[in-house]
Amino acid sequence: MGWNVDIYEARPDLRLPSSKAAAQQRSINLAISSRGITALHAIDPAATARFFQTVIPMCGRMIHDIRGNQQSQQYDKDGQCINSIDRALLNEGLLEEASAIPNIRLFFNHKVLSIDFDNRTMVIRDTNSETEVRKAFYLCIGADGSYSIVRRQLMRVVRMNFQQEYIPHEYIELKMPAGCDEHGQPVFLLDPNHLHIWPRHSFMLIALPNKDKSFTCTLFAPTVEFDRLIGCEAILSWFRTYFPDALLLLGEDKLLNDFAKNTRSPLISIKAKPYHYKDRCVILGDSAHSMVPFYGQGLNCGLEDVRVLQALLLQEGVAPCSPPTHLGERELTDTRLLNALSKYTETRHEDLVAICELAMDNYTEMRHSVTTPMYLFKKALDNLLYTITSSKDSLTLATRSLATVPFLSPNPTGWLPLYTMVTFRPDISYATARKKAAKQSAVLSFAGHLGTAFLSATALYVTFHAVHWLQRR
Ligand SMILES: Cc1cc2nc3c(=O)[nH]c(=O)nc-3n(C[C@H](O)[C@H](O)[C@H](O)COP(=O)(O)OP(=O)(O)OC[C@H]3O[C@@H](n4cnc5c(N)ncnc54)[C@H](O)[C@@H]3O)c2cc1C
Ligand SMILES: NC(=O)C1=CN([C@@H]2O[C@H](COP(=O)(O)OP(=O)(O)OC[C@H]3O[C@@H](n4cnc5c(N)ncnc54)[C@H](OP(=O)(O)O)[C@@H]3O)[C@@H](O)[C@H]2O)C=CC1
Ligand SMILES: Nc1ccccc1C(=O)C[C@H](N)C(=O)O
């Protein structure tokens, strides 16, 4: 919007060769889908197109059973995909784009320590020189992750409702190397256009493809399960029991090395409200709503926060250029900014709660439900009803206008599967998607009960007449 922006990042610049290793330690790739793409597009269509050259589309889940059989489950009846993107490449790309804009300044190794909102100043430690500086600001946007300092500072000045939950599961990343074809060229060891899942009911292994033809696997399991895996033999025998096919591809030595080298990380879900303070601070991304990663929506949702905030700023008529930095007049309130931030908190909260809860539910679906006949039956019925009732509305057009409107479809018509709404319909808010899916699910359950009642009545009728007929003979 043309504002003068200073970005303070606690870590070193990940584009420097010396900081690459540290930056790549965790979560090497992630799934980006329509909400993230639409948000990037609303800011910079050309950059979005450039990022897109590096993604690998994943059109569905590939379910691996314990005997090594694979079964594909498409994400969408029309073939829409989620996309595996290299986290470092995306971050580097965003930094490159930001660096090219003259009114954006980037400060690495600068950690925000404390904020005085009423005086519009913050204290920042320059970790290169180990000095502390006080900086003035007009609007502070906290996008500093799950353990956000900005959020903690906000709590001192607003009555923030806050909920934090560690689930009793954790994760570790494992690398599945590329294979080698007869000409010595690297090849994927699994189908690259799927998100691979080894569901084992109380835990699961997943794999997302990388451009170098390797896969990044993540093992999610209860802490108590991990605690049993002490020593090489225990790890290998557990993998031989539950993931024999994956073990062959991971390689025993590499697996043991990853287990020894990579950290086990916790999984956290955070809900908060409000997200802003007066006309001078707002928190976005994981700092406002950390969610367990099972819907692949954390970053997508954080990017959507930016799009929604921008739309509200424009709607309220906040100037699309640098604001008047009358920093001397600290008590002055920028009413338009205040209205935009207040609307952001009020309208965004139910969406953020919805996606945090949907993300929790998707863990059960991925590690357990996908293997059950009832899930497959419901999914087939869901898709059938979707096919019968869906109309081909022009989503591209809708997506384009989302640069200035938070959401376009407050009341979507027809039958729409939950996954489709969450992942492929950025014009529908998370809360609307969740409410509509709950209604549809009630209809399916009612139909199920009705069907069962009808079948039971038919069976009774037939039995009664059969007995009657036998007695008469
Ligand atoms: C295993 C796993 C898999 C995931 N997969 C996906 C996926 O497939 N798709 C998806 O959409 N999401 C996924 N996510 C979620 C995604 O990683 C996060 O939602 C996303 O990284 C959040 O971005 P953010 O910018 O809000 O916070 P962060 O990525 O945490 O960035 C915060 C930044 O702020 C900096 N910082 C922190 N404190 C300070 C301070 N005091 N001063 C200055 N700088 C500071 C940090 O150094 C960091 O660079 C996954 C998460 C996990 C754990
Ligand atoms: N929702 C989820 O389940 C998860 C989400 N994520 C998201 O991915 C992002 C990137 O992950 P990653 O780079 O591994 O982040 P880290 O785990 O490395 O955390 C980033 C920084 O947060 C601070 N921090 C870490 N743990 C705590 C804690 N318990 N209490 C207070 N401060 C803490 C540390 O700062 P310092 O060194 O100054 O103490 C650390 O350097 C995270 O910020 C988070 O948003 C990551 C893991 C799980
Ligand atoms: N990126 C992830 C990271 C961790 C766990 C799941 C994902 C997913 O993307 C899951 C996908 N949305 C699915 O429902 O199959």
Side-chain angles (χ1 to χ4, degrees):
M1 291 178 69
W3 288 37
N4 288 326
V5 180
D6 285 351
I7 298 177
Y8 298 105
E9 166 55 56
R11 291 178 181 170
D13 186 347
L14 83 158
R15 293 166 298 172
L16 302 175
S18 54
S19 62
K20 279 247 157 104
Q24 287 188 349
Q25 259 174 13
R26 285 209 210 157
S27 191
I28 281 105
N29 54 23
L30 49 77
I32 191 161
S33 48
S34 298
R35 287 180 197 266
I37 297 162
T38 304
L40 289 169
H41 196 269
I43 310 288
D44 189 339
T48 313
R50 281 195 288 282
F51 295 144
F52 242 74
Q53 286 162 4
T54 68
V55 307
I56 302 176
M58 299 178 287
C59 57
R61 298 170 178 159
M62 186 69 86
I63 310 297
H64 295 246
D65 74 15
I66 208 130
R67 287 180 298 279
N69 301 315
Q70 300 185 31
Q71 183 207 30
S72 168
Q73 295 179 0
Q74 298 295 300
Y75 282 127
D76 177 71
K77 73 172 176 62
D78 298 324
Q80 295 188 86
C81 302
I82 61 175
N83 306 281
S84 179
I85 189 164
D86 183 315
R87 194 185 272 266
L89 265 185
L90 176 65
N91 285 338
E92 280 174 21
L94 288 170
L95 288 174
E96 281 302 319
E97 298 298 330
S99 315
I101 300 173
N103 48 343
I104 298 183
R105 297 192 301 175
L106 297 162
F107 298 89
F108 295 97
N109 302 302
H110 277 63
K111 184 168 182 164
V112 176
L113 299 181
S114 63
I115 308 171
D116 178 345
F117 294 107
D118 290 320
N119 280 308
R120 287 187 151 132
T121 59
M122 59 174 76
V123 176
I124 297 165
R125 178 191 291 278
D126 176 344
T127 50
N128 280 329
S129 61
E130 288 302 338
T131 51
E132 282 176 22
V133 282
R134 185 174 288 273
K135 297 270 182 177
F137 65 86
Y138 186 71
L139 170 66
C140 163
I141 299 185
D144 50 344
S146 298
Y147 307 106
S148 170
I149 291 274
V150 181
R151 185 184 66 227
R152 271 180 270 168
Q153 294 292 299
L154 260 187
M155 284 176 176
R156 296 164 64 97
V157 290
V158 297
R159 293 176 186 176
M160 182 184 282
N161 287 329
F162 176 72
Q163 190 192 40
Q164 170 175 308
E165 181 188 355
Y166 282 102
I167 64 166
H169 292 237
E170 42 190 68
Y171 74 93
I172 189 167
E173 286 197 333
L174 310 165
K175 181 108 175 161
M176 183 181 286
C180 201
D181 71 6
E182 63 272 24
H183 311 292
Q185 294 302 312
V187 286
F188 285 109
L189 291 177
L190 294 168
D191 183 328
N193 298 118
H194 280 85
L195 188 153
H196 293 262
I197 313 178
W198 290 258
R200 297 294 179 261
H201 307 293
S202 59
F203 50 85
M204 70 175 185
L205 180 72
I206 67 165
L208 273 75
N210 297 312
K211 273 283 177 195
D212 66 0
K213 302 203 162 50
S214 66
F215 280 85
T216 301
C217 302
T218 314
L219 175 63
F220 296 95
T223 305
V224 286
E225 195 71 48
F226 272 115
D227 286 346
R228 279 198 276 268
L229 304 181
I230 295 166
C232 299
E233 204 30 58
I235 297 171
L236 291 179
S237 99
W238 193 76
F239 266 79
R240 279 183 207 121
T241 308
Y242 295 110
F243 309 111
D245 56 338
L247 179 59
L248 281 177
L249 307 178
L250 287 160
E252 296 195 351
D253 290 344
K254 285 201 185 67
L255 170 73
L256 292 175
N257 189 38
D258 280 350
F259 249 85
K261 212 178 62 201
N262 298 348
T263 39
R264 274 161 51 180
S265 299
L267 291 159
I268 193 170
S269 183
I270 290 174
K271 294 174 196 154
K273 188 185 178 188
Y275 307 111
H276 76 289
Y277 176 60
K278 294 185 179 167
D279 58 342
R280 53 201 66 180
C281 180
V282 64
I283 48 172
L284 306 179
D286 277 22
S287 63
H289 51 74
S290 209
M291 65 195 75
V292 289
F294 305 112
Y295 227 116
Q297 282 294 311
L299 177 76
N300 285 286
C301 177
L303 292 171
E304 187 177 80
D305 290 346
V306 179
R307 182 185 66 72
V308 169
L309 179 64
Q310 170 168 284
L312 293 175
L313 290 171
L314 293 174
Q315 258 179 25
E316 290 302 316
V318 173
C321 62
S322 268
T325 41
H326 37 238
L327 292 168
E329 304 161 46
R330 298 192 199 288
E331 65 288 353
L332 214 81
T333 298
D334 185 332
T335 323
R336 290 175 174 178
L337 198 46
L338 174 65
N339 290 346
L341 301 187
S342 307
K343 270 201 182 160
Y344 179 81
T345 285
E346 281 317 311
T347 57
R348 193 70 179 138
H349 184 61
E350 63 164 352
D351 291 335
L352 299 178
V353 168
I355 188 58
C356 283
E357 289 173 0
L358 287 169
M360 238 10 138
D361 299 344
N362 212 44
Y363 190 23
T364 318
E365 176 166 322
M366 287 182 78
R367 69 183 149 90
H368 169 69
S369 314
V370 287
T371 61
T372 63
M374 182 52 99
Y375 169 84
L376 294 173
F377 172 73
K378 276 193 172 165
K379 189 174 156 71
L381 199 55
D382 215 17
N383 275 329
L384 178 71
L385 291 166
Y386 179 28
T387 309
I388 295 169
T389 63
S390 68
S391 61
K392 283 256 170 264
D393 46 356
S394 172
L395 195 60
T396 338
L397 231 160
T399 307
R400 221 173 286 146
S401 12
L402 281 171
T404 49
V405 180
F407 297 100
L408 277 164
S409 312
N411 225 337
T413 51
W415 190 278
L416 288 164
L418 175 63
Y419 198 87
T420 299
M421 287 189 277
V422 169
T423 310
F424 304 121
R425 293 291 302 264
D427 58 316
I428 301 175
S429 75
Y430 288 124
T432 305
R434 192 171 191 226
K435 277 184 237 156
K436 186 175 171 69
K439 278 191 202 147
Q440 292 177 167
S441 176
V443 171
L444 278 188
S445 297
F446 181 69
H449 291 313
L450 216 64
T452 315
F454 177 74
L455 284 178
S456 310
T458 311
L460 264 175
Y461 180 83
V462 170
T463 314
F464 176 79
H465 281 278
V467 170
H468 194 67
W469 180 75
L470 280 172
Q471 278 172 348
R472 276 205 316 216
R473 287 189 71 199

